[in-house]
């Protein structure tokens, strides 16, 4: 008997923030699989009744959130507790542990949230990863500059999406970057690690993103994305992702090995994995790995098996123990462009969306930024103008289509006048 014919109803808890782009794709996959989804939303209890949220949690209070989840499941048992992104991976790991469900170690979930923990675990596991040093944001940046080597990268421990990540080639640039990051951190909630700054060696090379899933302890590579736009700094804005990779097969194999070692070093045993690696003459280097799937709307580029299964369906199938007929990506090339914010200001108008959508190979163009709302570019910002999706026969054709579509778009951004 196949597991799918079992009549046992499936139910999961899906943890997310209101602001995530990831929810819809998981809801669609769950509906297809007839899995009942309880959304565990990061929301203040005072607002939970008003919004009629069945499971209101505060992600900045993980122990309390775990207690709430365990209490909730007494009435409604679940097969899995998943977090759609890094924001609740620690809560998902701890709740799964408390409920006796398969889960990643809470250390790995912590590492996914804290870049310093991650670097330490990579170093202990012998994973190729940059040398690093930890500082307090109140440290004298001139002293920091005397202690590190150049070029280096200055970064916060707890932010994501390249926020606050800056390259410094000289002591003077390091001092500026350190001040700039300290200013950003001052405005954030105080939690352990939020006032610390990591400085690490800059790793030159081309960058790739690896999407994988850990199945029975083994990392299966679902897709390797090339990032054809150079990411040389001083800020590291994601733009184009194209899969399959055009790197030679032996380089791709070395990347997969390095990612497998990294997953083991972090104690990731189950579920989705997303990693960024750089490759140079010394081989692959692990920049970052998380126990979650690809962010934003980017998973739309991926389809698996004969039935064009979505990544979220694959993740949910694994989580509740349903069969997965194939981990193989559909053969055609595909890609996405995360449309960067060119300058700070207020978004007043967007034109050319239709023309961009008509470029051969373009599947869709989604502008996610809202009109009349402020836009903040990196390193302070945390969003994109939108996403362009393309498919084609070759990775080169996909890349060309994405660039041509982007050229059709025009964004009117009104500069903010400084307050005097
Ligand atoms: P985040 O979690 O915010 O995305 P990362 O540590 O992954 O932060 O850094 C974001 C990007 O910055 C990386 O994808 C990479 O392009 C660049 N980067 C980060 N650290 C280094 C490094 N040590 N050397 C070279 N580039 C780096």
């Amino acid at each position: 008997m196949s597991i799918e014919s079992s009549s046992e109803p499936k139910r999961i808890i899906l943890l997310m923030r209101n602001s995530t782009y990831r929810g819809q794709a998981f809801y669609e996959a769950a509906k297809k699989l007839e899995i009942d989804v309880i959304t565990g939303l990061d929301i203040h209890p005072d607002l939970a009744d008003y919004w009629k949220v069945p499971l209101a949690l505060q992600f900045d209070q993980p122990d309390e959130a775990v207690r709430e989840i365990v209490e909730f499941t007494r009435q409604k048992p679940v097969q899995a507790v998943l977090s759609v992104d890094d924001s609740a991976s620690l809560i998902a790991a701890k709740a799964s542990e408390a409920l006796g469900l398969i889960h990643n170690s809470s250390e790995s979930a912590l590492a996914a949230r804290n870049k310093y923990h991650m670097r330490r675990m990579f170093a202990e596991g012998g994973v190729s990863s940059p040398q690093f040093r930890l500082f307090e944001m109140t440290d004298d940046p001139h002293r920091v500059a005397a202690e590190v080597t150049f070029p280096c990268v200055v970064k916060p421990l707890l932010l994501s999406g390249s926020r606050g990540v800056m390259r410094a080639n000289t002591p003077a640039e390091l001092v500026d970057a350190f001040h700039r990051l300290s200013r950003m951190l001052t405005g954030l909630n105080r939690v352990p690690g939020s006032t610390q700054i990591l400085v690490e060696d800059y790793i030159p090379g081309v960058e790739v993103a690896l999407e994988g899933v850990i199945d029975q302890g083994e990392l299966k590579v679902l897709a390797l994305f090339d990032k054809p736009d150079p990411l040389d700094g001083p800020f590291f804005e994601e733009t184009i992702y194209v899969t399959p990779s055009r790197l030679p097969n032996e380089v791709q194999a070395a990347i997969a090995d390095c990612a497998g070692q990294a997953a083991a070093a972090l104690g990731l045993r189950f579920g989705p994995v997303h990693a960024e690696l750089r490759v140079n003459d010394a081989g692959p280097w692990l920049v970052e790995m998380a126990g979650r799937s690809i962010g934003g709307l980017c998973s739309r580029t991926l389809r698996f098996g004969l039935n064009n299964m979505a990544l979220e369906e694959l993740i949910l199938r694994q989580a509740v123990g349903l069969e997965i007929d194939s981990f193989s990506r559909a053969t055609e090339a595909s890609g996405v462009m995360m449309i960067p914010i060119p300058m700070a200001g207020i978004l007043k108008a967007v034109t050319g969306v239709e023309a961009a959508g008509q470029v051969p190979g373009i599947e869709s163009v989604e502008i996610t930024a809202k009109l009349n709302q402020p836009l903040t570019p990196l390193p302070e910002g945390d969003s994109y103008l939108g996403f362009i999706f393309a498919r084609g026969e070759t990775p080169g054709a996909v890349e060309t289509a994405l660039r041509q579509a982007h050229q059709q778009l025009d964004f009117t951004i009104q500069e903010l006048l400084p307050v005097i």
Side-chain angles (χ1 to χ4, degrees), residues 115 155 160-162 165 200-203 207 236 278 288:
K115 297 180 203 300
K155 57 170 77 168
S160 56
S162 301
V165 181
E200 51 188 45
D201 288 353
Y202 174 79
I203 307 295
E207 188 160 314
F236 299 92
R278 288 196 162 216
E288 175 151 73

Side-chain angles (χ1 to χ4, degrees), residues 86 112 115 118-119 129-131 151-167 198-205 207-208 227 230-238 241 275-278 285-290 292 378 384:
D86 293 334
K115 297 180 203 300
M118 185 175 305
R119 285 283 175 257
S129 172
Q131 297 283 330
C152 62
V153 174
V154 176
K155 57 170 77 168
L157 271 47
L158 305 182
L159 300 182
S160 56
S162 301
R163 274 183 85 199
V165 181
M166 290 172 264
R167 172 175 171 169
L198 199 61
V199 181
E200 51 188 45
D201 288 353
Y202 174 79
I203 307 295
E207 188 160 314
V208 292
K227 302 188 183 183
L231 282 158
D232 298 335
F235 314 129
F236 299 92
E237 190 159 56
E238 304 270 28
Y241 274 41
E276 319 289 339
L277 299 99
R278 288 196 162 216
W285 296 77
L286 225 302
V287 177
E288 175 151 73
M289 175 173 269
R292 60 159 169 85
L378 280 176
Y384 302 103

